[in-house]
Amino acid sequence: MSLKKQLINEQGIRTDGRGIDDLRPIKITLGYLAHANGSVLYEQGKNKILAAVFGPSEVHPKHAELPDRAILRVRYRMAPFSTEERKSPAPTRREIELSMVIRNALESVVLTELFPRTAIDIFIEVLQADAGTRVAGVTAAALALADAGIPMKGITAGCAVGKVDGKIVCDLNDIEDKEGEADMPIVYIPTLGKISLLQMDGLMTQEEFKQALSKAINSAMKVYQLQVNALKTKYIKVER
Amino acid sequence: MNNNKEKILENLELFVVPGERLGSIEEGISEFGTYEDEGNVRAAYIGRATIDKEQKKFSVLPITKMPIYPYKGQSVIAKITSVQNTLAVAQIIAIEGEFINKSFTGLLHSSRIRGRYEKNLRRIIKPGDLVRCKVISSEGTIHLGISGNFFGVIEANCSICGRILKKIGRRNQLRCDNCGNVEIRLLASDYGVVKVSKK
């Protein structure tokens, strides 16, 4: 027992000085890249994620296209320098699966039927990883899609919750993710009140799950407010 | 009445992001930039929402740049890649006078071409020609058409030697300065006047 590090102290302060329900500081830079149709640099604590959107463009090979809607092609990758130890630049099983998971989360919000027989390319590059990169990736990709002028049903906002030292905490960092008992990333569409991604790793009781879900939705709402503010500051400034 | 008008102007300034609710479907019709979802009309773009209470219409004018895509009614420049009796396939290389990085494939059918019915499309359009067309529909396959005098071939090469053909006096006739070959094309009114240059 003594080997295990205490992650939350008696006052309810976590290893990085946050309270149980606090998020890491979020910084959103829209239009970060010059060549992409839409792009964003999303920073959440130590997480640094770059998202870029291209398209819609014609699909090659032709058999991959759909006659009634656009296809999304998502590429989620971690840079070799994103982790503490060098990560091999070759796509891993995890990255390929997360690309699919993120694509499924975004397909429910993009109005793909307006661009039949085309493809929309979404690139999510993790420059620096510190837990919760998949939800941060979806959050960033939604902003990049909106910035590219692609019609959407809503903006997705993501947040991870988890169980650390028997308590439900929001927005886990790297130590809490590794040492904690459970981790649950959630992507929420605040305007529609729907969940587009929910995964869980670890163990939680039913009561804890319900508590975690409501905390995740609250956190996603906070993230959404920051997203809207970022879009407002960019576009209202442009107009004037 | 006056009060009502002020309200509409006030609403014109409404900044919306995708997903924001504009009203219910009983209150108005979903127009451009909006979509219907479970009885509500919501915005699909970042933009300025217009809620027209007199006409009962909701629309959103995007303030982002729009995706590069050949929308219905736009004028495009296409390069012909193959021609059959009634159908030509073309690569759209420019939309509304601006070159695009990745081309879209469009179809040009003989029924969408101005003037007399042409039994053989190969007589008036040849592979390699640059044609100014109008987008007839882009819901699914992109259909192109040549409707007015302004639309038609704007650049064509000689079938024998490959040099650029020059327009001679008579309508739709072209001659090659190099080999003297005379060819026929469905010409746009400004053939030879416009210069098409890729960046």
Side-chain angles (χ1 to χ4, degrees):
Chain A
M1 191 61 213
S2 58
L3 281 171
K4 202 166 180 266
K5 205 180 157 191
Q6 195 189 10
L7 294 169
I8 303 173
N9 70 9
E10 288 74 25
Q11 285 88 43
I13 304 293
R14 288 148 76 180
T15 47
D16 50 5
R18 282 184 290 155
I20 284 174
D21 293 340
D22 294 348
L23 302 180
R24 289 173 283 182
I26 292 171
K27 197 185 159 200
I28 296 165
T29 318
L30 281 162
Y32 192 74
L33 302 170
H35 301 314
N37 296 137
S39 60
V40 69
L41 176 68
Y42 185 80
E43 291 162 81
Q44 186 170 16
K46 284 183 204 158
N47 274 336
K48 278 189 172 61
I49 287 155
L50 205 51
V53 170
F54 287 85
S57 58
E58 213 159 68
V59 192
H60 290 292
K62 276 278 174 197
H63 65 78
E65 73 178 23
L66 295 174
D68 58 338
R69 63 198 150 100
I71 56 165
L72 294 189
R73 289 189 293 211
V74 177
R75 189 191 117 120
Y76 166 96
R77 289 286 182 275
M78 284 172 94
F81 48 83
S82 63
T83 44
E84 277 174 28
E85 267 178 48
R86 177 185 177 271
K87 186 209 152 284
S88 160
T92 58
R93 250 176 85 104
R94 179 181 172 273
E95 284 166 320
I96 295 163
E97 189 188 320
L98 284 189
S99 301
M100 183 272 287
V101 163
I102 293 170
R103 191 186 71 225
N104 289 346
L106 289 172
E107 262 175 358
S108 57
V109 287
V110 178
L111 289 165
T112 48
E113 59 272 21
L114 294 178
F115 303 105
R117 291 176 194 276
T118 59
I120 298 166
D121 289 288
I122 301 159
F123 298 92
I124 299 165
E125 295 286 330
V126 180
L127 303 179
Q128 192 169 287
D130 189 50
T133 53
R134 76 191 68 183
V135 283
V138 181
T139 310
L143 284 169
L145 281 165
D147 188 37
I150 289 168
M152 291 162 83
K153 281 187 188 174
I155 291 175
T156 50
C159 189
V161 284
K163 190 178 159 193
V164 175
D165 287 357
K167 284 175 185 154
I168 304 296
V169 294
C170 294
D171 196 10
L172 308 183
N173 62 27
D174 201 33
I175 313 160
E176 290 166 344
D177 191 26
K178 279 173 185 153
E179 309 283 330
E181 292 112 71
D183 171 30
M184 187 163 86
I186 284 181
V187 173
Y188 187 64
I189 315 165
T191 45
L192 305 181
K194 286 176 183 169
I195 291 167
S196 74
L197 185 154
L198 196 152
Q199 293 182 308
M200 195 171 87
D201 182 23
L203 294 169
M204 269 192 223
T205 63
Q206 275 189 22
E207 283 308 309
E208 279 167 345
F209 176 80
K210 278 175 193 161
Q211 198 194 341
L213 192 65
S214 70
K215 275 196 178 183
I217 289 170
N218 279 340
S219 309
M221 291 301 284
K222 285 182 202 163
V223 174
Y224 177 69
Q225 278 311 316
L226 294 169
Q227 284 176 310
V228 173
N229 283 346
L231 292 172
K232 263 186 188 166
T233 38
K234 180 181 174 182
Y235 283 105
I236 292 174
K237 216 182 272 169
V238 165
E239 271 214 322
R240 273 171 194 166
Chain B
M1 192 63 206
N2 196 22
N3 195 13
N4 199 6
K5 249 184 190 165
E6 262 177 33
K7 234 180 187 175
I8 293 164
L9 281 175
E10 202 180 280
N11 283 332
L12 205 74
E13 291 296 305
L14 208 66
F15 175 89
V16 288
V17 294
E20 254 173 73
R21 187 180 178 273
L22 303 173
S24 73
I25 49 170
E26 285 88 5
E27 288 172 285
I29 306 161
S30 154
E31 293 261 299
F32 182 80
T34 60
Y35 72 96
E36 283 175 21
D37 173 79
E38 291 174 2
N40 293 313
V41 180
R42 293 177 186 275
Y45 293 94
I46 305 170
R48 298 253 168 240
T50 316
I51 301 166
D52 193 335
K53 284 191 174 155
E54 276 178 34
Q55 299 279 315
K56 295 197 184 295
K57 278 173 189 169
F58 295 111
S59 63
V60 172
L61 188 71
I63 51 176
T64 57
K65 46 186 186 273
M66 289 295 280
I68 300 159
Y69 188 73
Y71 293 99
K72 186 183 171 183
Q74 277 180 328
S75 144
V76 297
I77 293 170
K79 192 170 191 170
I80 305 291
T81 49
S82 76
V83 189
Q84 293 168 5
N85 278 343
T86 56
L87 193 74
V89 182
Q91 291 289 325
I92 297 164
I93 56 166
I95 298 170
E96 294 286 343
E98 276 187 38
F99 285 99
I100 55 177
N101 290 328
K102 275 188 169 177
S103 63
F104 291 92
T105 307
L107 298 179
L108 183 60
H109 192 259
S110 60
S111 63
R112 301 292 196 181
I113 283 172
R114 80 170 124 88
R116 231 177 57 212
Y117 172 71
E118 193 62 56
K119 220 173 179 180
N120 187 0
L121 212 54
R122 292 183 188 92
R123 205 179 69 81
I124 51 166
I125 288 166
K126 287 194 167 69
D129 290 355
L130 290 180
V131 190
R132 190 189 286 119
C133 309
K134 199 167 210 172
V135 181
I136 290 165
S137 82
S138 59
E139 292 158 10
T141 318
I142 299 160
H143 291 281
L144 304 171
I146 297 175
S147 45
N149 283 336
F150 188 60
F151 296 94
V153 177
I154 53 168
E155 198 181 288
N157 293 336
C158 174
S159 313
I160 295 169
C161 66
R163 306 280 172 92
I164 288 174
L165 294 166
K166 286 220 171 102
K167 193 177 179 179
I168 51 174
R170 286 188 209 114
R171 262 187 96 223
N172 290 348
Q173 275 202 349
L174 299 168
R175 188 170 59 205
C176 176
D177 281 352
N178 189 43
C179 61
N181 177 34
V182 175
E183 293 191 26
I184 291 170
R185 293 287 199 285
L186 184 70
L187 297 182
S189 55
D190 58 352
Y191 183 94
V193 183
V194 281
K195 283 236 167 75
V196 186
S197 57
K198 268 196 167 176
K199 45 180 177 177

